[in-house]
Each structure stands twice: as C-alpha cells, then as structure tokens.
C-alpha cells in the first residue's frame, strides 16, 4: 500500500501543476520516439457478433463493448510492463491506512464522443445501475464482497469515494476498471423508465450515432455477420498523448471483420485482408510461415509467446459414498500424487500441442509469472514412483488382466470422463489412460456431452456420479490469481469435494481456504504473493486437482502494422500491442 | 380451387403443432440448458445463474414453456433469444436474407448450366460429351460442399502465386471469405451490388455443383423419354427444325416434373447453403443455426424451424397448385 501512496502523491503533484493528459510511454512500444504516423486502418477480426451495444446487459465478451466501453475512461489502468495501477481517468487516488476507503479525483478534461463533459455523475450512474438487481447487470456480482456491498459516493465537486466492507485486493480491480456510463442519455432513460427501459436500451438495432463513448475509437457502423467499423474519437486525444505530446490514437479507423471461423480468418489473413491473426496451433503458424516464405504476405510471427491463462486438469471425486473403496482412494493424497506421476506432460505437449504448451503444477496459470511458485513439489512423469506410492496404499499385486489389486481383491479401475468433441481433451485423456494402464491402473476414457459433464462436475452431496473428470478452466487475474469459487470449500467450483454439509474434509483444504481469505484481504502485493506461494505449496502436496499443461499463445501481424510491445511484454495477459500506440507504416 | 386451399390450410395446423412439439421435446432431452456453460465461469455466482434461469423461464416445466411459446407464435412473436437478449426475428432476419442471395444465385447458376447440359446429354446420347458431363456431374455429387469450397480456396491462392510469378499480378482472382470487401461501405450502390455478386460467385458455384449432377441426370432421362415419343416423331415428320423440336416441344414436356418441385425450393431458400457458409464465412443461416445449437439458445433454433416448416408447407401448397396449372390431368374439387 505504501507504494501506492508514493506513486499517487507524485502523480497528484504533477497533475496539480497542469491538468496534464495521460501519457502513453515510449517504453510500451517498439516504435522509436516520433516514428509513429497518423492515419490508416487496423483490420482486425472476431468470430462472434456483438449481441448488444448495452454495457449493462452484455453477458460476455463482445467486440464492440471491449473496444468502446472497456477501452473507455476507466479510473485506473496498467501498462504492459508492470502490475501497478496508474491513475487514468482518475487524476489521482488515495487509499486509507486500513485500505477500506479509496478516494479518487477525476480529470476535468474527459468528454463523451458527443462533446458532453464526463462528470462524477456518469460514474455514479453506472454504479447505481449495476447495483440495481432489477437491471440484471453482469457487473452486479463484483460490487459485493462476502454479500456486503461496496459503497460509492461523491466527494467534493470532482471526487469519488469507494468504501469497501472489508479489505479485499480483488475489489480494487472493480474500482480500477470502473468506467462512466452516459448519465445524460442512459441515466435519463433509467430515471424515466426504470430498470426495464435501461435493459432495453442500445440493442443492436439502435443507430450507432445515438450511442456515446469515451474510447479511442467509437463505433460508427455495424453490419451483422460482416463488420464493425470504429472511427477516431477526437475527444480522446484531449486527455491521451504519447511522450512526444501527440494526441492519440494514431489510427483513423479500426475495423473488425466478423468471421464465422478461425479458418476463414486465416484465409483472409493469407489473402492480405487482415492486419493481424492469432494462430491457434502450430499448424496455423506453419501455414503463415510458408506464405511469408513464398512472398504472399509480409508478416511477423511470434511463436510460443507465453502460456495462455487456461489449463487442462484431472479432478478426482472425493464424494463417493456408494463406493467406499474408491472414495478412500480418491481422498488419499498419495493416490493423487501417483496419478500425477502418470501424467506424461511432455508427451501431451508434444503430441497434443505440437510442442506449444507448458507444464502446469498448481492452479496459478504459468503466465502470471509474478505469482507462480516455482519451488513447489512437482510430481512429474515417473511410473516407478507411482507404482511405489500405489503399493504403499495396498495395491501391490497385479491380477490376470495386469490390473493392480489390493489384498481384498479390489482392482484399480477408474472411469475418466471428458467432453466429447474436444479433441485436445480426448487426446490428453488417452495419453494418461495409456501410461496408467502400463502401470496397472485401468483407466477407461468416457467422452460425454459437455453439459452432462458439467452437471456431473457441479453435482453436490455425499455421493456424486463420477470417478474422475478431465476438463479445463480459464481466467484468473493479475491481482490475485486464485479462483473465488475454486479454493474455498463451499465454492461451486471446488470440484473435488462438493459435499456441502461436510465442508472441508482435510486440514490442508481448510488451510488453503484460510490462506485464500487472508490473501484476498492482504493489500500489500508482496505479502499477498507470499500467501499465494503458500497456497500453491499446499496445492502441490495435496494434488486436489492434477494439472497437466497450459497451451501456449502465438501472435502474428503484417509487418506494416507497427507499434507492438517490446518482445519481453508480448504475452497472453497484455497481448502484443497497445492499440492506442499502434500505427500503420507508410 | 379456393375450398381446396382453405382445406389445405386447416390441415397445416396439426402438422405445424406436431412438428414444433417434436422439436421442443427433443430440445428438452438435451442435457443442461443455455446457462449450464455459464456455471463454469469462476466469477459467476450460483445465485446469478438461478436468477437468470428464472428470468428466462428455464425453471418452468417444459409443457408450460411450450404452451407459452406456442401462444406467442400464434400472436406472431417468435420469442426472445437468450444469447442476444433481443427478439428472435431480429436475430434471424439478416442471415435468412444473406442466405437467400447465395441460394438464388446458385439456383440461377444451376438452371443456366444444368438445363443445357441435360438437353445436350440427351440429344447426343453416349457421345464423348455426354460421358464427360456424366463423369463431371458425378464428381460434383460426390464431393462434399465444404471440402470442395476448401479446394477452390486453395486453388485461388495457388493461382495468385502463379500469376505473380508469371505476370507480377499479386491479387486474388476471387475473394476467399466474407460477403463484402473491407471498403464496402464507401462504394456506390451499383458497386456494392457487384461487390456482393463477386463474393458470391465461388460459394454459389459450389452449392450449384452439388445439385447439378442430379438435375442433369433426371433431365437427361426425361428428355430421352420425351424425344422417343410419338408426337416428337410427328413434329419431325412435319419438317420442323432440330432446335424447335428439341427446345419447343421436347424440353417443355421434360421440365414438368421440375416445375412441380419448385415449391420445394422455398424452404431451401432459407435453409441456407450449408457448411459452405461456414467455410467462406458467409453470414447466413447455417452459422447462425449452428451457433444457436451449440449455445442452446433454443428459441432461435425453434424460430428457424418454425419459419422453415411454414415455408415448407406453403411450398408444398404452391407445388400442388402449380401441378394443376401445368398438368391438365389434375383438377382439384
């Protein structure tokens, strides 16, 4: 927290001297100072249409809102080079000693794209609407910590005060990304027609000229299934400049082609119709490299930039009252360690991802390098160690079929379910099953419909209907990479143990939960990291979830598209470039 | 004829209810619902899921859901899409329109190519030309559309490499995806029309080839039969020219079965062009339908089924009426 205060004071002093615009640093781009030129179009793509222009009812990723709403005047922001929050739409912010009260002072030079000044009222309105259960906003959940609301009120003419019910480092994120909604349009509507009117506003039939934004480019045309066109928002440059003082953004236009599939996007990229493409696999990269060699396109390819924030893992069911032998086994950490010894992560990386994946040992995705505990126990591929651990559990003989049995004749047979149609998961399950069978563990792979699989995984009670499931999750954050619903014993994604009446079953689970709660309350980032390292130590020993690999992300763009991050800042979290600093070489 | 049409119309009602009920029941047999996938997101609270389920009416027993839905249909409302939070009609209107462009052009291509080919094959039976037409049309029938489209895309890329080497011409001859060019919005109305037409050529050709084989073969057989009949011999004996006999007398009779089939084209128009649309990223019905299916956005799925079953029923009606017009042996009372 101290660090915040120092940064904040410095920036606050700077801003008092002059109502200075926010400066996008030269260090965030490979372009030499003054090299960038104005004009041009970035032709990007997306595989799904925006379902609404309404920032309140949008339930998922949406190309239009990502750029126009999320890309707007959030209170704080971060550069690609650090996890520290920088004041953005806020001129400055101060955090109270206990971390429960944060006050921000707004810049006075931000305007909506129609020229109306952005005021405190716009931020208050968004808060009011998001916390109104009738509006059914997707942002609703984030405003509550342990069912207590975060309070937001106006202080002075140009300030906002956030009061948190408890100290919570993830809640700070909610503050940081809080952005305005146009009180003079949507607020008016809300006051007149209530929640229903607000929910119904700004559907995709609404003329875009009736919408206003604070983002670098504002949407000007939308043709369903074809394209979204954004044009420079002249008011953005009044409070955003590069280090040389040039108003941003550089690009005049940002176009998103709406394509039906990644294959179609790749074809368009090879045809020179797109400026950038995110290769999904090494096959894509191969195709692009050939096109580059042939001289079809002039492109840059960044292979294996970093692991992405998603994982594939195996989870064993601890709630199997109907089969006490299996239940006992699945609850034994030695058993799960043995299973981790049977996961050949190298083979998975090579065979399933063609070399483009990274092994994973705890719930923290490898891309969150700051948080990852490199020194945890690693139960890597080692069939002999697995055999030894299983023998320790009594499974030391093999029956006629070569399957391990214990003294009472119970054979070690497991059903591993995964979702049908996900070839990567099916392959991983098969690789695991093959090496397990060699060691005398009979693993039967079952491909289930995705929803059926999820129903099984999320089922609760003392007797749940599966042995083991292979599935993946994605997400996490740079502020606190542990899942609120994953680590605590009552979380609905605490997948291995969902006997809600029994609660935590082991002291380690309990300890991890306590550390999780403590970590979230720890605002000092270094101290929180220490706690995070400890949670991972427990996860690694306990192996409640056996992580396999995290696929790697790749990038490619036409060489004429400039202003990308320096290569050390190209990863799955911060991406390959700041759009605002991107320009087209002449 | 009017009483017949009215009677036919009333027959449509039980058919319609049966079809939609079946579709609804099947959609309920699928495990989970629209919100199941959301439950796996670490940041979404279970209460939120419950609230949304209630809001969407997914917590009601399915007969109640069906009852509500069919009542809305009667009032001309196809319901709401969960996914996009807007009326189904808004979600499906544009894709239907886009698919229609593609399908209409492919039908035009189909007729323009298949009719002359069928006639040629019949008139020059067993000639080299006839054999070539047969072989090529069987290829068209055998290659799946989505694969054929991929092959053509590859061909377009290879052609670019070739024209670059040979003439320094580094442009694609035809677009490989999308319905419009990136500068579409700046074009004049005529150029816009041409731009879409240009983008349509390849996918429409692919769709047309699939139907061409069957059409050519059937027309050939029909023509052969008619050409062998007595009145053709009479016409020839009268001294009529070859062209007149073939096109004015034989072809007119040979196409009667196809006219009866025109009604069947109507649902085909909105059925879309199938997976070709996905391959070339055509914003038509197929991608919309597939996406709605995978997200379990059931009212969009059902809405498309309703529109196409209504068109199918109207199409059948038109076919019956057309038959009465072209075939003097059929009369409705």
């Amino acid at each position: 927290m101290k660090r915040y205060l120092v940064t904040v004071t410095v920036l606050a002093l700077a801003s008092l001297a002059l109502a200075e615009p926010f400066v996008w640093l030269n260090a965030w781009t490979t372009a030499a100072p003054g090299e960038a030129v104005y004009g041009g179009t970035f032709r990007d793509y997306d595989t799904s249409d925006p379902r609404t222009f309404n920032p309140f009812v949008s339930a998922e990723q949406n190309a239009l809102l990502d750029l126009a709403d999320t890309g707007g005047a959030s209170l704080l922001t971060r550069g690609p080079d650090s996890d520290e929050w920088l004041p953005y739409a806020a001129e400055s912010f101060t955090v109270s000693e206990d971390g429960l009260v944060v006050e921000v002072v707004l810049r006075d030079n931000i305007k909506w794209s129609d020229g109306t000044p952005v005021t405190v009222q716009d931020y208050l309105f968004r808060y009011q609407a998001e916390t109104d259960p009738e509006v059914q906003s997707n942002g609703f959940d984030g405003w509550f910590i342990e069912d207590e609301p975060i309070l937001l009120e106006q202080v002075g003419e140009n300030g906002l005060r956030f009061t948190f019910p408890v100290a919570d480092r993830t809640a700070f994120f909610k503050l940081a990304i809080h952005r305005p909604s146009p009180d003079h349009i949507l607020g008016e509507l809300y006051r007149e027609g209530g929640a229903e009117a607000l929910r119904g506003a700004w559907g995709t039939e609404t003329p875009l000229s009736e919408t206003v934004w604070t983002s670098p480019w504002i949407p000007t045309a939308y043709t369903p299934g074809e394209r979204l066109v954004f044009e420079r928002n002249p008011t953005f440059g009044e409070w955003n400049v590069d280090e040389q003082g040039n108003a941003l953004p550089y690009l005049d236009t940002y176009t998103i082609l709406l394509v039906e599939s990644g294959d179609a996007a790749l074809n368009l990229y090879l045809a020179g119709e797109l400026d950038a493409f995110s290769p999904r696999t090494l096959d894509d990269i191969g195709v692009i490299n050939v096109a580059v060699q042939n001289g079809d396109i002039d492109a840059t390819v960044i292979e294996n930039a970093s692991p992405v924030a998603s994982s594939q893992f195996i989870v064993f069911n601890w709630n199997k009252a109907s089969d006490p032998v299996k239940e006992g086994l699945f609850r034994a950490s030695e058993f799960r360690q043995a299973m981790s010894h049977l996961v050949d992560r190298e083979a998975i990386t090579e065979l399933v991802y063609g070399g483009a994946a990274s092994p994973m040992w705890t719930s923290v995705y490898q891309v969150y390098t700051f948080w990852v505990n490199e020194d945890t126990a690693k139960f890597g591929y080692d069939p002999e160690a697995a055999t030894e651990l299983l023998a320790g559990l009594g499974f030391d003989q093999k029956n006629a079929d070569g399957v391990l049995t214990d003294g009472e004749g119970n054979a070690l047979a497991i059903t591993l379910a995964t979702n049908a149609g996900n070839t990567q998961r099916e392959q991983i399950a098969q690789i695991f099953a093959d090496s397990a069978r060699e060691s005398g563990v009979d693993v039967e792979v079952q491909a289930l419909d995705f929803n059926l699989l999820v129903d099984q995984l999320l089922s609760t009670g003392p007797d749940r209907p599966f042995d083991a499931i292979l599935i993946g999750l994605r997400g996490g954050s740079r502020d606190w990479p542990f899942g609120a619903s994953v680590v605590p014993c009552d979380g609905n994604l605490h997948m291995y143990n969902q006997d809600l009446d029994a609660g935590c079953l082991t002291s380690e689970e309990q300890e991890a939960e306590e550390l999780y709660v403590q970590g979230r309350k720890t605002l000092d980032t270094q101290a929180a990291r220490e706690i995070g390292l400890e949670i991972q130590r427990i996860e690694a020993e306990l192996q409640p979830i056996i992580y396999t690999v995290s696929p790697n992300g790749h990038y490619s763009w036409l060489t004429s598209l400039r202003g990308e991050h320096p290569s050390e800042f190209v990863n799955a979290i911060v991406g390959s470039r700041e759009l605002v600093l991107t320009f087209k070489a002449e | 004829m009017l009483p017949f049409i009215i009677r036919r119309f009333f027959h449509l009602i039980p058919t319609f209810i049966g079809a939609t009920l079946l579709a609804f029941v099947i959609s309920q047999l699928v495990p989970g619902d629209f919100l199941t996938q959301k439950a796996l997101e670490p940041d979404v609270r279970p209460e939120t899921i419950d609230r949304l389920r209630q809001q969407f009416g997914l917590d009601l027993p399915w007969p109640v859901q069906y009852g509500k839905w069919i009542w809305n249909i009667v009032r001309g409302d196809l319901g709401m899409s969960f996914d996009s939070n807007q009326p189904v009609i808004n979600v499906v209107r544009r894709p239907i329109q886009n698919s229609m462009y593609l399908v209409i052009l492919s039908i035009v291509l189909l007729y323009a190519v298949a009719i002359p080919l069928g006639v040629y094959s019949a008139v020059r039976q067993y000639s080299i030309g006839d054999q070539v037409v047969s072989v090529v049309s069987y290829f068209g029938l055998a290659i799946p559309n989505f694969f054929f489209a991929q092959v053509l895309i590859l061909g377009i890329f290879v052609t670019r490499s070739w024209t670059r080497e040979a003439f320094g011409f580094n442009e694609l001859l035809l677009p490989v995806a999308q319905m419009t060019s990136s500068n579409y919005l700046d074009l004049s109305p005529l150029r816009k029309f041409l731009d879409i037409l240009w983008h349509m050529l390849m996918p429409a050709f692919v769709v047309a080839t699939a139907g061409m084989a069957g059409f050519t073969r059937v027309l050939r057989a029909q023509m052969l039969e008619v050409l062998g009949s007595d009145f053709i011999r009479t016409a020839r004996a009268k001294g009529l020219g070859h062209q007149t006999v073939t096109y004015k007398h034989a072809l007119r009779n040979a196409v009667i079965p196809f006219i009866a089939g025109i009604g069947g084209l109507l649902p085909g128009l909105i059925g879309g062009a199938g997976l070709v649309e996905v391959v070339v990223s055509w914003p038509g019905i197929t991608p919309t339908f597939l996406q709605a299916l995978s997200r379990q956005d059931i009212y969009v799925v059902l809405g498309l089924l309703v529109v196409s079953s209504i068109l199918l029923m109207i199409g059948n009606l038109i076919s019956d009426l057309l038959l009465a017009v072209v075939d003097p042996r059929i009369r409705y009372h």
Side-chain angles (χ1 to χ4, degrees), chain A residues 136 141 204 226-227 451, chain B residues 48 55 86 164 180-181 296:
Chain A
Q136 299 165 351
D141 286 352
T204 50
E226 292 177 56
R227 72 175 56 73
N451 285 344
Chain B
T48 307
Q55 180 200 334
Q86 49 176 325
R164 186 178 50 228
T180 50
S181 301
Q296 293 193 276

Side-chain angles (χ1 to χ4, degrees), chain B:
Chain B
M1 178 133 359
L2 192 65
F4 170 76
I5 295 177
I6 293 172
R7 217 162 11 145
R8 275 299 298 261
F9 180 77
F10 279 105
H11 283 168
L12 296 184
I13 294 174
T15 317
F16 179 75
I17 291 183
T20 53
L21 188 63
L22 193 66
F24 204 90
V25 169
I26 290 174
S27 76
Q28 296 298 319
L29 291 177
V30 179
D33 58 31
F34 172 67
L35 293 164
T36 310
Q37 305 186 14
K38 218 176 167 50
L40 261 201
E41 287 172 30
D43 302 328
V44 178
R45 298 193 305 177
E47 299 89 76
T48 307
I49 304 274
D50 291 342
R51 195 194 67 214
L52 288 171
R53 190 158 280 147
Q54 212 175 348
Q55 180 200 334
F56 291 148
L58 288 170
D59 55 340
L60 301 171
W62 74 260
V64 180
Q65 289 186 43
Y66 178 74
K68 282 188 163 188
W69 177 73
I70 198 88
W71 175 236
N72 282 334
I73 295 287
V74 170
R75 296 184 305 169
D77 175 7
L78 289 178
M80 290 288 283
S81 156
F82 303 143
D83 202 16
S84 55
N85 214 350
Q86 49 176 325
V88 168
I89 190 70
N90 290 354
V91 177
V92 301
R93 197 175 45 217
R94 257 196 114 93
I96 287 179
Q97 193 185 334
N98 293 341
S99 277
M100 268 188 186
Y101 295 155
L102 193 56
V103 175
I104 288 174
L105 180 64
S106 70
I107 289 174
V108 170
L109 276 180
L110 172 67
Y111 285 174
V113 177
I115 292 180
L117 279 185
V119 172
Y120 174 85
S121 286
V123 176
R124 301 280 164 85
Q125 199 185 1
Y126 305 133
S127 67
I128 296 286
D130 179 28
Q131 311 277 8
V132 170
V133 169
S134 299
V135 170
V136 171
S137 56
Y138 278 120
F139 267 117
L141 193 65
I143 298 180
N145 276 354
F146 70 91
F147 179 70
F148 190 37
Q150 302 267 27
V151 171
L152 288 183
I153 289 172
L154 184 67
I156 292 170
F157 278 121
V158 170
T159 313
R160 176 175 64 175
S161 306
W162 182 76
T163 55
R164 186 178 50 228
E165 309 264 303
F167 316 109
F169 180 75
N170 197 13
E171 298 286 330
L172 294 176
L173 291 179
L174 284 172
V176 289
Q178 299 288 90
M179 190 168 102
T180 50
S181 301
S182 40
N183 61 345
Y184 177 77
L185 293 174
D186 307 328
L187 300 176
S188 64
L190 177 66
R191 295 287 301 276
K192 280 185 177 169
F193 173 76
L194 291 176
D195 189 54
I196 292 183
L197 195 64
W198 187 54
H199 281 78
M200 267 197 302
L201 279 179
M202 191 263 283
F205 174 70
V206 171
V207 177
T209 52
M212 223 173 269
F215 195 104
T216 315
R217 303 305 298 168
V218 176
L219 184 62
R220 178 177 179 271
Q222 285 287 331
M223 277 295 282
L224 284 174
E225 197 186 321
V226 178
L227 282 172
S229 57
D230 293 343
F231 77 94
I232 294 292
R233 200 173 330 125
T234 313
R236 287 198 206 282
K238 251 178 13 180
L240 287 179
H242 178 69
Q243 292 293 325
T244 321
V245 172
T246 310
Y247 288 98
K248 209 168 171 191
H249 293 265
L251 182 60
R252 271 178 119 177
N253 285 287
V255 295
I256 286 180
F258 294 101
I259 291 175
I262 282 178
L265 292 175
L266 207 54
L269 281 182
I270 83 128
L275 288 173
V276 176
E277 292 181 346
V278 178
V279 174
V280 302
S281 192
W282 191 267
I285 280 295
T286 316
T288 311
F289 191 69
L290 288 178
Q291 197 170 45
L293 271 182
S294 72
R295 291 173 193 254
Q296 293 193 276
D297 196 353
I298 51 168
Y299 293 128
V300 173
V301 175
L302 291 172
L304 284 170
L305 287 177
V306 166
V307 176
S308 60
S309 50
I310 289 176
L311 284 182
L312 183 67
M313 292 185 295
I314 295 176
N316 282 341
L317 189 62
I318 294 177
S319 284
D320 289 349
L321 299 179
L322 275 179
L323 267 186
V325 175
V326 296
D327 194 333
R329 288 165 297 183
I330 299 175
R331 282 287 170 269
Y332 299 108
H333 296 291

Side-chain angles (χ1 to χ4, degrees), chain A residues 311-326:
Chain A
S311 62
Q312 309 283 9
F313 54 78
I314 298 171
V315 58
F316 283 91
N317 177 11
W318 294 13
N319 316 112
K320 270 194 94 69
S322 58
D323 189 342
V325 177
K326 270 188 184 167

